């Protein structure tokens, strides 16, 4: 009897659900939707033979890599290995990259920064920092490869980086973790006196293709989170957010969120430069260290809503927008007001010897879109609008920078961190697109187990309403990305033939193997479809050494033909490198295992690629 009743109730409920579904079904809407899907598909479809309009450079977070996507297709084009090894390109195996990687085998790549001229991307270089191991890297966009990696002493996790000044004069690296000056041991009871949040000013020597440390600044022991360089009227200045001004040393989740206000640090890097030129610094581990308590006039604090995260300078350089991750509001500050307060020395007090400006005298407005929660980062378009990611309410809010009025909002799936609009952090944003970099994808793509990929959603900004038109999964974890017009880049087609390049060999007959004591040096060539290591030997594609020898192999790819890349892998020796057209690469190792080791080209290069192999013979010690 009970089953009966349950059955009838079940049927009734089923019917009700069907009625509701049918009542909800509107054939007209369905057709409209399909039309919309078709238009959106067209907007992102890049036919074969045509190229995407933009490159997107997305940070790879703790993968240590940089991901490159095409926009609007959202096709993944390439990965540049930066702070972690990559066997596809031999990064971390060949001599150059192994030396750059040093003792580290992973990195946490946060914010990419394209080089700028007059505040606009110039398409020449791309910088990034490693929060895990205190490094900065520069990639050359001629070859999409890393030119230099610099390990910066005295610091603890450059998360707040990298941002470049308008003519790439400096790359600033403020840090997330306070550490004792000089990174000596110091008890956490001495946090407030001995620890510092050290910021580094790094320059790029374009001629030598080297990163260099200009000076450092010993800021108070707070966590520096995000930063941005000024533009136009504020071009000599930069801003960064800071939290844990409570200086707590444990249970940060609670303790670093006590004070109602934290700060934006506002600094004039031209002044810092002058101070350093005037000798106003101490020396620490061979680096010029400026102490803002002793040397005043370059650094100021602006109170802002507690635990701020992002801070972004508007394209015209007149304002900076701070986002409070625990507040429902963005705060718009005026550079002009700040300059006035600084010139008139109207300060509300001091913190750790640094003047604090009065909140009201610098603040222009608090922007508080209804029910929006967790603002993190803002990007801009060409029409005076800002686009702010809302981590908690999972949306992007479009608002008018001049009036604070909310204009539009679009839900994203889910929890966006940064967003990247087309050239959206330069002096001349393009509008057109913004990409939400979502931390959580939940079910958006084919399932791959309990952990899902991160997700990037492309949003069209050209219509009346923002509209999501494409999405793409991405490996962990895009902290930030920059989108640059593709025609600003002109990558190399082949490495130019350069007879003077050290260790290069350009003809088969010059290939040779020489011995000097226990060192065997190979000057070889790779071409379709063979290796030639020694043109005079009976077997030209064999390297014979003795157990314990040091082996140095230089290999030049003499196929000066685009996309004819050769690889060089030695079976069971854990060695591998890539040699692109016209490139010379070097690999060094100790032949400490006697035996017979096939070597082969790893990169499919011709119909006879399978024939492109030889042997490494390691004769055992007597
Ligand atoms: S952070 S999600 Cu590494 Cu840029 Cu704000
Ligand atoms: Cu060369 Cu495959």
């Amino acid at each position: 009897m009970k089953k009966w009743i349950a059955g009838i109730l079940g049927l009734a409920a089923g019917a009700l659900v069907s009625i509701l579904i049918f009542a909800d079904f509107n054939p007209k809407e369905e057709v409209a939707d399909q039309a919309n899907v078709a238009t959106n598909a067209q907007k992102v479809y890049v036919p074969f033979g045509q190229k995407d309009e933009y490159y997107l450079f997305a940070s790879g977070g703790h993968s240590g890599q940089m991901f490159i996507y095409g926009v609007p297709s959202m096709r993944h084009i390439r990965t540049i290995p930066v702070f972690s090894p990559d066997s596809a390109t031999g990064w971390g195996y060949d001599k150059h990259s192994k030396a750059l990687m040093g003792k580290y085998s992973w990195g946490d790549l946060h914010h990419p920064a394209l080089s700028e001229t007059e505040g606009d991307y110039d398409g020449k270089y791309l910088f990034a920092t490693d929060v895990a191991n205190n490094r900065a890297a520069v990639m050359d966009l001629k070859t999409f490869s890393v030119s230099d990696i610099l390990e910066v002493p005295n610091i603890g996790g450059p998360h707040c980086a990298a941002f470049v000044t308008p003519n790439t004069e400096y790359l600033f690296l403020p840090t997330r973790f306070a550490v004792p000056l000089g990174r000596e041991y110091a008890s956490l009871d001495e946090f407030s006196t001995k620890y510092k949040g050290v910021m580094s000013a790094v320059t790029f020597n374009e001629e030598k293709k080297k990163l260099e440390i200009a000076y450092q600044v010993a800021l108070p022991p707070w966590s520096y989170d995000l930063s941005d360089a000024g533009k136009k009227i504020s071009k000599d200045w930069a801003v960064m957010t800071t939290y844990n001004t409570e200086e707590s040393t444990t249970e940060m989740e609670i303790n670093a969120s006590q004070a109602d206000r934290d700060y934006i640090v506002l600094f004039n890097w031209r002044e810092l430069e002058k101070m350093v030129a005037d000798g106003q610094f101490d020396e620490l581990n061979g680096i010029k260290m400026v102490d803002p308590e002793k040397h005043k006039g370059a650094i100021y604090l602006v109170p802002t809503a507690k635990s701020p995260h992002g801070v972004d300078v508007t394209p015209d350089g007149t304002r900076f927008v701070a986002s409070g991750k625990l507040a429902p509001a963005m705060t718009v500050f005026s550079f002009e007001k700040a300059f006035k307060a600084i010139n008139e020395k109207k300060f509300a007090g001091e913190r750790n010897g640094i003047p604090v400006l009065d909140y009201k005298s610098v603040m222009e407005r608090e922007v508080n879109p209804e029910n929006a929660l967790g603002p993190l980062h803002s990007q801009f378009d060409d029409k005076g609008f800002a686009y702010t990611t809302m981590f908690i309410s999972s949306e992007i809010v479009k608002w008018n920078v001049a009036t604070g009025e909310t204009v539009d909002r679009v839900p994203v799936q889910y929890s966006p961190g940064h967003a990247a609009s087309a050239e959206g952090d330069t002096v001349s944003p393009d509008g057109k697109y913004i990409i939400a970099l979502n931390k959580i994808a939940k079910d958006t793509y084919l399932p791959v187990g309990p952990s899902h990929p991160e997700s990037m959603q492309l949003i069209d900004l050209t219509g009346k309403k923002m509209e999501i038109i494409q999405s793409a999964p991405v490996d962990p974890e895009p902290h930030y990305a920059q989108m640059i017009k593709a025609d600003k880049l002109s990558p190399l087609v082949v490495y130019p033939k350069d007879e003077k390049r050290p260790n290069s060999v350009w003809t088969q007959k010059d290939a040779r193997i020489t011995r000097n004591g226990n060192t065997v040096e190979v000057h070889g060539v790779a071409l379709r479809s063979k290796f030639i290591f020694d043109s005079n030997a009976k077997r030209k594609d064999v390297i014979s050494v003795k157990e314990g020898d040091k082996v140095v192999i230089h290999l030049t790819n003499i196929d000066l033909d685009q996309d004819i890349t050769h690889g060089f892998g030695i079976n069971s020796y854990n060695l591998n490198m890539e040699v692109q057209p016209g490139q010379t690469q070097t690999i060094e190792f100790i032949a400490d295992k006697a035996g017979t080791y096939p070597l082969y080209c790893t990169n499919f290069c011709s119909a006879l690629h399978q024939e492109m192999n030889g042997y490494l013979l390691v004769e055992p010690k007597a």
Side-chain angles (χ1 to χ4, degrees):
M1 182 69 170
K2 267 189 191 154
K3 269 189 197 163
W4 251 87
I5 295 172
I8 289 170
L9 282 177
L11 277 176
L16 190 64
V17 168
S18 335
I19 289 167
L20 284 176
I21 288 173
F22 280 114
D24 212 32
F25 178 72
N26 178 341
K28 257 196 208 146
E29 249 173 45
E30 175 85 339
V31 172
D33 244 351
Q34 276 171 13
N36 213 16
V37 166
T39 346
N40 288 348
Q42 260 175 7
K43 283 184 190 161
V44 301
Y45 179 63
V46 179
F48 179 76
Q50 288 180 23
K51 295 188 178 106
D52 278 296
E53 191 183 352
Y54 289 92
Y55 284 100
L56 181 80
F57 292 93
S59 88
H62 46 292
S63 75
Q65 300 171 326
M66 183 74 74
F67 304 125
I68 303 165
Y69 281 74
V71 180
S73 74
M74 300 298 279
R75 293 179 294 206
H76 176 222
I77 297 174
R78 174 128 284 208
T79 296
I80 307 178
V82 184
F83 296 121
S84 48
D86 173 47
S87 69
T89 52
W91 186 252
Y93 299 86
D94 66 79
K95 192 181 173 190
H96 164 76
S97 62
K98 204 175 165 186
L100 291 183
M101 297 272 297
K103 52 186 187 275
Y104 301 111
S105 59
W106 79 289
D108 189 3
L109 190 158
H110 276 244
H111 309 97
L114 286 157
S115 57
E116 293 181 12
T117 301
E118 302 288 317
D120 239 329
Y121 300 152
D122 58 24
K124 289 183 0 194
Y125 301 98
L126 178 63
F127 303 93
T129 54
D130 168 22
V131 179
N133 298 309
N134 307 325
R135 293 176 290 175
V138 54
M139 283 149 266
D140 189 335
L141 295 178
K142 283 261 171 252
T143 57
F144 283 60
S145 65
V146 173
S147 306
D148 193 25
I149 294 180
L150 172 76
E151 186 177 353
V152 183
N154 303 331
I155 67 170
H159 176 270
C160 193
F163 66 96
V164 298
T165 52
N167 286 300
T168 321
E169 295 95 338
Y170 290 97
L171 182 71
F172 281 101
L173 277 64
T175 51
R176 174 171 168 192
F177 310 109
V179 287
L181 254 194
R183 295 216 58 163
E184 308 282 311
Y185 166 82
S187 157
L188 283 163
D189 293 334
E190 298 175 296
F191 191 80
S192 293
T193 51
K194 292 213 165 144
Y195 284 60
K196 290 288 176 191
V198 173
M199 172 176 84
S200 315
V202 169
T203 54
F204 176 53
N205 184 326
E206 202 175 343
E207 213 174 295
K208 294 192 198 150
K209 298 252 189 296
K210 284 271 166 212
L211 295 164
E212 290 157 3
I213 303 169
Y215 59 86
Q216 295 185 320
V217 184
L219 292 166
W222 306 336
S223 292
Y224 300 89
D225 209 16
L226 253 301
S227 50
D228 200 6
K231 302 175 173 81
K232 297 186 171 175
I233 66 154
S234 55
K235 67 179 185 344
D236 297 343
W237 295 78
V239 282
M240 58 190 165
T241 55
T242 180
Y243 64 99
N244 194 28
T245 55
E246 294 87 347
E247 299 180 14
S248 64
T249 55
T250 183
E251 294 180 58
M252 297 278 282
E253 193 185 6
I254 305 163
N255 294 331
S257 311
Q258 296 300 308
D260 274 341
R261 293 234 179 267
D262 286 297
Y263 303 106
I264 308 281
V265 183
L266 176 65
F267 68 93
N268 184 314
W269 54 267
R270 288 272 182 219
E271 279 301 318
L272 285 172
E273 199 177 60
K274 270 190 225 148
M275 278 179 188
V276 173
D278 285 355
Q280 298 183 42
F281 58 82
D282 305 306
E283 200 138 318
L284 184 69
N285 296 332
I287 291 172
K288 297 169 180 141
M289 180 75 72
V290 178
D291 178 349
E293 279 192 54
K294 279 201 261 173
H295 307 293
K296 297 184 190 267
I299 304 178
Y300 304 90
L301 299 172
V302 180
T304 190
K306 70 154 90 172
S307 304
H309 187 57
V311 61
D312 299 281
V313 175
T314 54
D316 62 4
T318 60
R319 301 171 170 104
F320 51 103
V321 179
S323 299
K325 58 187 185 261
L326 295 180
M330 290 81 82
T331 316
V332 182
F333 294 96
S334 153
F335 272 112
E336 270 162 348
K337 287 185 171 189
F339 298 160
K340 190 163 178 272
I342 290 167
N343 286 338
E344 292 170 1
K345 296 205 161 42
K346 278 206 182 131
F347 303 128
E350 249 189 25
R351 227 3 248 282
N352 298 45
I354 304 175
V356 179
L357 302 181
D358 174 49
Y359 175 73
K360 286 230 173 67
S361 75
V362 183
M363 192 268 291
E364 190 176 292
R365 67 167 44 82
E366 289 170 1
V367 180
N368 204 337
E370 204 183 341
N371 298 328
L373 281 176
L376 292 187
H377 302 283
S378 300
Q379 290 273 294
F380 303 93
D381 69 7
D382 52 338
K383 298 186 178 65
F385 296 110
Y387 300 81
T388 304
T389 50
M390 298 288 165
F391 184 81
I392 299 172
S393 54
S394 278
E395 60 182 329
I396 290 187
V397 173
K398 174 180 178 181
W399 53 283
N400 185 317
V401 178
T403 64
E405 173 208 1
T406 302
V407 188
D408 191 17
R409 44 213 290 180
V410 63
V412 294
Q413 290 70 33
Y414 303 89
S415 302
H418 286 263
S421 64
E423 310 215 343
D425 60 3
T426 69
V427 291
S428 59
D430 291 359
K432 213 157 179 175
Y433 301 116
I434 191 166
I435 292 173
L437 305 167
N438 305 323
K439 300 293 188 193
I440 313 274
K442 273 203 209 287
D443 236 6
T444 308
Y445 308 103
L446 284 174
V448 289
S451 178
H452 300 188
E454 269 62 71
S455 178
M456 305 194 293
Q457 285 175 299
L458 176 68
I459 298 162
D460 179 8
L461 300 181
T462 57
K464 251 193 131 186
K465 305 238 353 129
M466 291 186 280
E467 197 171 2
I468 295 179
I469 53 173
Q470 180 66 305
S471 86
V474 58
D475 278 330
E477 178 179 335
H479 286 273
Y480 184 40
Q482 285 182 328
M483 202 193 305
I484 177 174
K485 203 80 195 290
D487 60 17
K488 285 189 175 175
L489 270 62
S490 50
L492 280 184
V493 180
V494 297
Y495 281 86
K497 181 173 174 180
D498 173 6
E499 314 248 357
K500 288 205 207 89
R501 186 190 303 151
N503 298 311
S504 64
V505 171
W506 297 96
T507 62
Q508 300 186 35
K509 69 173 192 344
D510 288 335
R512 61 196 184 270
I513 299 180
T514 48
R515 174 179 281 279
N516 186 352
N518 288 332
T519 304
V520 175
E521 196 161 9
V522 181
H523 287 87
V525 294
L527 66 156
R528 275 166 292 182
S529 302
K530 60 190 169 199
F531 292 112
I532 300 189
F533 303 122
D534 186 350
S535 60
N536 292 316
K538 181 168 143 202
R539 296 187 181 85
K540 299 178 175 43
D541 45 18
V542 172
I543 300 171
S544 297
V545 301
K546 297 204 163 58
E547 185 183 352
D549 278 346
K550 179 181 176 187
V551 185
V552 183
I553 302 170
H554 312 287
L555 198 57
T556 303
N557 179 349
I558 60 171
D559 281 321
L560 300 177
D561 195 355
Q562 81 171 313
D563 203 22
I564 304 301
T565 295
H566 297 291
F568 177 84
I570 306 181
N571 182 290
S572 80
Y573 240 89
N574 197 34
L575 289 173
N576 167 48
M577 65 175 170
E578 179 194 68
V579 200
Q580 295 190 6
Q583 195 182 20
T584 303
Q585 288 269 55
T586 299
I587 202 161
E588 273 185 16
F589 61 101
I590 304 292
D592 50 8
K593 290 189 294 183
T596 303
Y597 301 94
L599 55 88
Y600 69 107
C601 173
T602 49
N603 212 306
F604 217 110
C605 53
S606 75
L608 295 175
H609 153 84
Q610 286 300 88
E611 278 72 12
M612 190 164 173
N613 54 250
Y615 283 93
L616 167 72
L617 299 175
V618 185
E619 195 186 323
K621 275 190 185 139

